[in-house]
Amino acid sequence: MNKVTFNTDLCKGCGLCVEACPKKIITLAADVLNKKGYHPACITDAEKCIACAMCATMCPDVVITVEKNV
Amino acid sequence: MVVFKKPQSLSPVPTHYCPGCTHGIVHRLVAEAIDALGIEGQTIGVAPVGCSVFAYNYFECDMIQAAHGRAPAVATGVKRTNPDKIVFTYQGDGDLAAIGTAETVHATTRGENITIIFINNAIYGMTGGQMAPTTLPGQVTTTSPYGRNPMIQGNPIRVCEMLSTLDGLAFAQRVAVDTPAHVNQAKKAIQKAFQNQIDKKGLSIVEVLSTCPTNWGMSPTEALKWLRENMMPYYPLGVYKDIDAKEENK
Ligand SMILES: Cc1ncc(C[n+]2csc(CCOP(=O)(O)OP(=O)(O)O)c2C)c(N)n1
Ligand code: SF4
Ligand code: SF4
Ligand code: SF4
């Protein structure tokens, strides 16, 4: 399976990855606060990820690593 | 297989930038270019005054911080005394196109063999949202509270168009970072601007249409939309000068 990993402590909850994801499988975790006090981004349905890295391309804080299953 | 990870030339530290500020994206693109060209050990960056004043904390290469607007002059000195190094400046629009206009224009016309990364976010970010030379007609800032009126505050400066009239310029491209496709285009432009310096072609500048969600008073996603709808028509994307292309046409 493709894998998207978030370095959650660095996330500022800006939502640019949420908007960029063509599969609409990223959300800001409403019930979680990270160290910085932001609602961090997370994946809702990892199975649907196509490893396009559009989320990571738009992330200003280099929170996201994308791995493709080959 | 890893398809996306942090570039090596970018320091593994949190940045001080506001949430969704596109300075972070452009920092990453610069680091990706340094990685791709394998020049981390030879590169010297010059940070400006502005929100990116701390850029020296975020790159793994050597960095200097210049007085406000003086980055191209500092870069000139560094490059002339260390011609084997790759020297870049990273500057906002207040830094490059207001207080540093003279340094920008003259470094360009002298054809200094340096690379300039220019962040056009149409405002002074660091100092709290004052009007910049690049602020759009009608745009509200703390020093144009009724919207910039060209009859009173003058017209904005289109930096790529202005510099492209100067003979010393090798390459000028305006890009944006509002969508993944545009970010990838910006990445290519930045890499070319560094490659040109390796090839000793003269001064290369990449102007990046960027956002300042905090001082624009918008969410980060609204700011990207505002950039697209308001900045892009006034500041068209494209290559304004490329001496390679000229050679091909001969
Ligand atoms: C000599 C001098 N004049 C004025 C200032 C105040 N000042 C600090 S940053 C800045 C403008 C920053 O705007 P910009 O270059 O657009 O960068 P941004 O913060 O938007 O990234 C100004 C006027 C200063 N630090 N030094
Ligand atoms: S890699 Fe593509 S599909 Fe997967 S989460 Fe990121 S944007 Fe969505
Ligand atoms: S783009 Fe980056 S910083 Fe912004 S919410 Fe997504 S992971 Fe967090
Ligand atoms: S004030 Fe504007 S330019 Fe400065 S870090 Fe915040 S969003 Fe970015």
Side-chain angles (χ1 to χ4, degrees):
Chain A
M1 201 172 74
N2 300 323
K3 195 169 153 203
V4 177
T5 326
F6 295 82
N7 187 353
T8 301
D9 284 348
L10 289 184
C11 177
K12 294 176 184 162
C14 71
L16 295 189
C17 57
V18 175
E19 179 164 281
C21 176
K23 295 289 166 189
K24 298 292 163 217
I25 53 171
I26 306 180
T27 188
L28 301 180
D31 50 351
V32 183
L33 286 178
N34 68 5
K35 269 192 202 163
K36 284 179 165 287
Y38 296 115
H39 294 293
C42 62
I43 292 273
T44 52
D45 193 349
E47 298 264 319
K48 287 193 185 148
C49 176
I50 54 171
C52 64
M54 288 198 192
C55 52
T57 302
M58 291 309 294
C59 177
D61 290 278
V62 209
V63 171
I64 305 171
T65 303
V66 183
E67 289 165 80
K68 195 179 177 78
N69 186 15
V70 282
Chain B
M1 184 186 66
V2 175
V3 290
F4 192 104
K5 66 173 178 12
K6 185 190 78 62
Q8 273 192 343
S9 305
L10 201 66
S11 305
V13 295
T15 70
H16 70 290
Y17 297 116
C18 304
C21 172
T22 50
H23 268 305
I25 298 179
V26 186
H27 279 29
R28 191 190 75 230
L29 297 181
V30 170
E32 284 174 351
I34 293 172
D35 279 10
L37 298 170
I39 52 172
E40 186 187 317
Q42 296 155 253
T43 301
I44 302 172
V46 186
V49 170
C51 280
S52 47
V53 65
F54 294 134
Y56 52 77
N57 286 330
Y58 306 141
F59 292 101
E60 294 289 273
C61 62
D62 283 345
M63 297 286 292
I64 306 178
Q65 197 269 314
H68 204 7
R70 289 3 172 197
V74 172
T76 297
V78 174
K79 183 71 185 184
R80 287 192 180 200
T81 49
N82 301 273
D84 54 325
K85 301 290 189 226
I86 303 303
V87 183
F88 76 94
T89 72
Y90 184 102
Q91 304 174 258
D93 40 25
D95 192 85
L96 181 140
I99 194 167
T101 315
E103 283 74 8
T104 304
V105 168
H106 287 280
T108 306
T109 201
R110 289 194 307 269
E112 299 296 340
N113 190 26
I114 59 173
T115 302
I116 295 181
I117 309 301
F118 168 42
I119 306 299
N120 179 354
N121 61 9
I123 207 157
Y124 288 4
M126 185 195 211
T127 42
Q130 294 83 2
M131 190 184 76
T134 47
T135 293
L136 296 173
Q139 187 182 340
V140 172
T141 69
T142 57
T143 47
S144 57
Y146 306 110
R148 180 179 191 155
N149 178 352
M151 298 297 285
I152 298 170
Q153 288 112 345
N155 295 294
I157 295 178
R158 293 186 177 95
V159 170
C160 278
E161 287 86 330
M162 176 179 74
L163 295 181
S164 65
T165 64
L166 303 173
D167 287 343
L169 183 73
F171 177 68
Q173 183 169 351
R174 184 180 292 122
V175 297
V177 286
D178 62 313
T179 61
H182 279 154
V183 171
N184 288 330
Q185 193 178 51
K187 177 177 171 168
K188 286 199 187 103
I190 289 173
Q191 192 166 324
K192 183 172 166 71
F194 277 93
Q195 183 67 51
N196 283 350
Q197 185 179 158
I198 295 170
D199 300 339
K200 300 188 169 46
K201 293 206 167 133
L203 192 140
S204 295
I205 181 168
V206 179
E207 173 176 346
V208 186
L209 300 185
S210 298
T211 65
C212 176
T214 301
N215 287 299
W216 292 1
M218 296 172 201
S219 75
T221 45
E222 283 166 357
L224 291 182
K225 188 163 178 269
W226 192 89
L227 181 162
R228 217 156 25 241
E229 291 173 358
N230 298 277
M231 289 183 77
M232 275 193 205
Y234 200 89
Y235 297 114
L237 304 187
V239 177
Y240 286 85
K241 183 155 179 197
D242 184 353
I243 52 164
D244 293 339
K246 232 186 208 165
E247 276 163 20
E248 278 160 25
N249 291 342
K250 270 179 197 161

